[in-house]
Amino acid sequence: MTQTVTLLGLESSCDDTAAAVVRHIPGETPNILSSVVAGQTQLHADFGGVVPEIAARAHTEKLDHCVEEALIQANVHLSDLDGIAVTAGPGLIGGVVAGVMCAKGLAAGSGLPLIGVNHLAGHALTPRLTDQTKFPYLMLLVSGGHCQFLVVKGADEFRRLGGTIDDAPGEAFDKTAKLLGLAQPGGPAVEAQAKLGDPESFRFPRPLLDRPGCDMSFSGLKTALLRERDRLVAEHGGLRQQDRSDLCAGFQAAVRDVLAEKSRRALVEYLALNPTNPTLAVAGGVAANFEIRGKLETICADSGAAFLAPPLALCTDNAAMIAWAGIEAFRDGHRDDMSLQARPRWPLDNQAPAMLGSGKKGAKA
Ligand code: KG4
Ligand code: ZN
């Protein structure tokens, strides 16, 4: 590893259009020269979820501007780069196609190599960008679109220990907020309400804890909450403020307990094979939740593992993680050409059984 590598990264697999420039000088900490993210929350606000067609159109409109801005902020020209990395899946296919086409155009015009990156690998390799974490480590990816435990053994070597069989936790937070008339994205709104509530007032189920392994389920929680809400509305003629807060607190406690217990089990499985310097790293928007993060920290401390949460801007969707995953792949000799395909599904672990379903933010893996 002798060569300095500077890549432009593009991300458009869900509802954030992003471009970033990352440079890595061997032996030094990777340098994020720029990271531009244009969100689409407002565009989807009226629909209670991401509308794929609206997302794809917005990506097409914004990608060029994000690229231009990322190059300006990084103070580099295309000729200063070693390649273009782009999310080639998994995700909402219209957005992924928009990103791949933009990257192909840039690569064809500049003569630079093209590197297709798996979005999940971008999240999973972020601890190496932020903290130079050494392989192997355990990753919990917990966002609005994804929820899975991954053993990260190498830049292109992952083992999935388990994941959600239906909704992702962020999706459940968003649906809960919608059911209770709170703002989107639901996670921060539900967390704020939960602070005012009593988690013991409503005892929601902890799905799949009675089954061995690390698989999770969150869709039943939302149904249980809907039933409680309807009962309260029928009883009181509306939802009282304290009930709303108690429902949020009860829901958040249930998600927290499921993630904590499944993380404990994932750590046991991980430690049996990798007992030296164990680390559990998290990524994804749900990792911003104070209650959940705190419980995960406790689980790690009890298991003798380090807990690592990258800064939030790099936990949520961004293009710096794509540029970084691209740098790792580039160093391993990976190059793509104009035949690079956008993929709605692209599991990191081909040996693991297929994840079920497709959430509001695209295929699960
Ligand atoms: O990683 P992310 O920005 O985007 C993707 O899902 O790809 O995660 C966004 C998700 C949303 O569902 C949002 O409600 C959730 O993360 N989220 C939270 C919190 N902040 C964001 N969930 C729980 N508590 C939070 N504080
Ligand atoms: Zn993501």
Side-chain angles (χ1 to χ4, degrees):
M1 198 219 279
T2 52
Q3 189 195 352
T4 295
V5 181
T6 309
L7 290 194
L8 170 71
L10 302 184
E11 159 61 33
S12 56
S13 65
C14 186
D15 56 350
D16 290 304
T17 316
V21 179
V22 176
R23 173 170 291 156
H24 187 223
I25 303 171
E28 293 190 12
T29 306
N31 197 352
I32 300 172
L33 300 181
S34 63
S35 181
V36 176
V37 181
Q40 304 178 357
T41 308
Q42 285 313 316
L43 290 179
H44 304 285
D46 291 343
F47 302 96
V50 178
V51 184
E53 290 77 9
I54 294 176
R57 180 182 294 248
H59 287 306
T60 311
E61 286 167 0
K62 286 185 187 163
L63 270 161
D64 289 358
H65 301 289
C66 289
V67 167
E68 197 175 2
E69 190 57 34
L71 293 173
I72 290 170
Q73 284 185 21
N75 197 20
V76 297
H77 295 104
L78 281 175
S79 56
D80 298 317
L81 301 173
D82 296 295
I84 317 274
V86 61
T87 298
L92 297 171
I93 193 64
V96 182
V97 167
V100 167
M101 295 311 286
C102 177
K104 281 184 179 176
L106 288 166
S110 61
L112 288 167
L114 179 68
I115 301 118
V117 168
N118 183 311
H119 176 86
L120 302 172
H123 281 302
L125 297 172
T126 298
R128 294 173 53 75
L129 168 66
T130 57
D131 293 79
Q132 294 75 61
T133 307
K134 295 211 168 17
F135 298 125
Y137 54 91
L138 181 62
M139 155 71 55
L140 167 59
L141 176 53
V142 63
S143 71
H146 309 290
C147 185
Q148 50 186 294
F149 292 104
L150 291 164
V151 180
V152 186
K153 300 184 195 175
D156 192 23
E157 203 186 346
F158 304 91
R159 197 176 140 227
R160 187 162 63 77
L161 299 182
T164 183
I165 58 167
D166 42 51
D167 289 356
E171 199 173 349
F173 268 97
D174 294 341
K175 286 177 181 169
T176 292
K178 192 164 176 241
L179 290 174
L180 299 180
L182 299 170
Q184 296 292 325
V190 170
E191 183 174 18
Q193 279 295 316
K195 284 204 178 85
L196 310 170
D198 175 3
E200 301 300 326
S201 287
F202 300 101
R203 180 76 192 168
F204 289 116
R206 271 67 174 157
L208 297 195
L209 287 197
D210 55 343
R211 274 198 236 161
C214 302
D215 279 344
M216 291 162 278
S217 161
F218 295 99
S219 73
L221 259 179
K222 168 200 64 197
T223 313
L225 184 121
L226 173 64
R227 248 187 253 119
E228 273 308 320
R229 184 203 68 174
D230 289 350
R231 186 184 64 75
L232 289 163
V233 169
E235 207 171 302
H236 304 294
L239 200 56
R240 297 178 303 187
Q241 186 53 44
Q242 191 56 48
D243 288 336
R244 183 182 280 117
S245 301
D246 290 343
L247 287 170
C248 286
F251 165 83
Q252 181 175 269
V255 176
R256 177 201 64 197
D257 289 351
V258 170
L259 287 172
E261 172 57 18
K262 295 290 178 168
S263 297
R264 194 190 60 73
R265 291 185 200 175
L267 271 167
V268 169
E269 234 179 279
Y270 176 82
L271 284 164
L273 298 169
N274 309 278
T276 320
N277 298 327
T279 296
L280 170 68
V282 287
V286 180
N289 186 286
F290 193 73
E291 272 283 317
I292 293 172
R293 191 187 274 241
K295 194 77 181 262
L296 293 177
E297 270 179 287
T298 307
I299 295 289
C300 283
D302 292 348
S303 311
F307 176 75
L308 177 68
L312 194 57
L314 295 171
C315 267
T316 53
D317 284 352
N318 67 90
M321 70 178 189
I322 302 304
W324 172 252
I327 289 175
E328 298 237 38
F330 186 90
R331 285 239 163 81
D332 288 344
H334 181 93
R335 305 287 184 276
D336 285 295
D337 57 25
M338 291 300 145
S339 65
L340 177 66
Q341 296 274 342
R343 300 170 63 171
R345 280 181 190 270
W346 186 359
L348 280 178
D349 179 355
N350 285 319
Q351 306 301 314
M355 305 279 276
L356 296 175
S358 179
K360 74 182 169 68
K361 296 189 169 187
K364 292 279 182 259

